[in-house]
Amino acid sequence: MSIQVNQLTKIYGKQVAVNEISFNIPTGQIVGFLGPNGAGKSTTMKMITGYIPPSSGTGTVCGIDMVEDSLNVRKIVGYLPENNPLYLDMYVTEYLDFMAGLSGVTAIKSAVKNVISLTRLTAERHKKIGQLSKGFRQRVGLAQSLIHEPKVLILDEPTSGLDPIQVMEMRNVIKELGSEKTVMLSTHIMQEVEAMCHRVIIINQGKIVGDDTLDNLKNAKNQSMEEIFRNLTGHVDHI
Ligand code: ATP
């Protein structure tokens, strides 16, 4: 099993952001993580990647405890955060070199070359990150998340704000990556889920309200993904 979470909870002050959620993701699955704004998706992803500790509950990534051993979890997880923080004054290759060094990669040159090619950044690699369009910046974020050859990828709204062509290209890259890695991605776009994911987990107000393969969900309910999402979350405005 790649990701296992058990009764995972995060409370910020009085706000229960994630409320006793449990799920297992086997190796090699691409899972869409859906939910309305504020449902707890980013918080869950930050806990899985070891960036914030849970308030309670347990979890492992490839058998490594996400609380007790978060440093080693980060070594096997690639994470693209929602706001994709980057150093805008750095050049693409310079930034990826730097991130490779920070991640403890030894063969830095070949690792950088490899992720640049994977994320189709070759033509832009000599530009400053601040000069790139949003879509290419997103690819730099993805390249950075891949630099240490992680087994598990956690992508928080990887196609947010991209134009339709960039969305398609990003989906293709993620699908390609999904053939050898476990991928959990959050999105508000149902077509994205249908185009890429084997399975969906739906969260609402910090609780899991749906977890099944795409086919099972659609066959059982005989509804579109939008309708299933609306029914499970009681939301109409947030897709
Ligand atoms: P979106 O789709 O809008 O990105 P989300 O599903 O990723 O939303 P989270 O960002 O995980 O949702 O937020 C879940 C809840 O936790 C929200 O009510 C949010 O306001 C709250 N929250 C998130 N981070 C913090 C924080 N650092 N301090 C306090 N509350 C927080």
Side-chain angles (χ1 to χ4, degrees):
M1 211 52 80
S2 262
I3 303 174
Q4 284 191 303
V5 304
N6 188 25
Q7 301 284 300
L8 209 60
T9 297
K10 184 71 186 178
I11 303 172
Y12 295 110
K14 288 182 181 161
Q15 172 78 47
V16 183
V18 173
N19 194 354
E20 298 186 348
I21 64 169
S22 302
F23 56 80
N24 297 327
I25 301 181
T27 306
Q29 221 173 40
I30 304 185
V31 175
F33 195 35
L34 310 183
N37 291 128
K41 301 180 295 297
S42 298
T43 303
T44 302
M45 291 177 141
K46 285 180 196 160
M47 289 192 280
I48 294 173
T49 52
Y51 279 82
I52 57 169
S55 305
S56 60
T58 55
T60 58
V61 181
C62 300
I64 302 172
D65 192 296
M66 57 182 74
V67 179
E68 301 292 321
D69 206 359
S70 71
L71 209 60
N72 278 322
V73 166
R74 288 181 221 191
K75 287 183 185 165
I76 54 161
V77 172
Y79 176 39
L80 176 64
E82 188 178 13
N83 53 0
N84 188 21
L86 297 167
Y87 294 117
L88 302 184
D89 280 335
M90 289 180 98
Y91 293 92
V92 172
T93 40
E94 180 192 18
Y95 173 72
L96 292 172
D97 272 12
F98 173 64
M99 294 310 288
L102 281 186
S103 305
V105 172
T106 43
I108 291 183
K109 238 183 159 166
S110 65
V112 170
K113 200 170 163 209
N114 187 30
V115 293
I116 282 180
S117 151
L118 256 175
T119 55
R120 331 270 201 263
L121 269 169
T122 308
E124 308 287 307
R125 70 189 187 284
H126 297 307
K127 286 190 185 168
K128 273 193 176 178
I129 295 173
Q131 296 169 335
L132 298 178
S133 69
K134 182 165 168 60
F136 280 98
R137 283 188 203 182
Q138 201 73 347
R139 290 188 207 194
V140 175
L142 185 64
Q144 168 267 316
S145 76
L146 294 168
I147 196 78
H148 54 305
E149 295 191 20
K151 293 181 180 160
V152 175
L153 266 184
I154 306 285
L155 310 175
D156 201 349
E157 299 193 31
T159 60
S160 150
L162 304 191
D163 73 37
I165 305 287
Q166 300 246 21
V167 165
M168 244 171 59
E169 287 191 12
M170 183 63 106
R171 281 183 196 167
N172 288 340
V173 173
I174 293 170
K175 261 166 88 170
E176 203 175 308
L177 293 168
S179 64
E180 50 180 43
K181 297 183 192 302
T182 304
V183 182
M184 182 178 190
L185 64 97
S186 69
T187 178
H188 290 282
I189 305 161
M190 297 301 144
Q191 294 95 310
E192 194 131 296
V193 174
E194 303 198 36
M196 282 192 285
C197 302
H198 306 117
R199 167 179 166 198
V200 287
I201 298 177
I202 303 177
I203 186 168
N204 188 37
Q205 297 181 343
K207 285 271 186 198
I208 303 287
V209 294
D211 179 357
D212 211 335
T213 62
L214 213 58
D215 290 343
N216 280 351
L217 272 177
K218 285 167 83 171
N219 290 341
K221 300 190 187 287
N222 205 14
Q223 290 172 330
S224 69
M225 271 311 294
E226 276 91 353
E227 287 169 321
I228 293 168
F229 180 88
R230 280 202 297 268
N231 289 339
L232 288 173
T233 61
H235 277 73
V236 283
D237 297 324
H238 295 295
I239 306 172

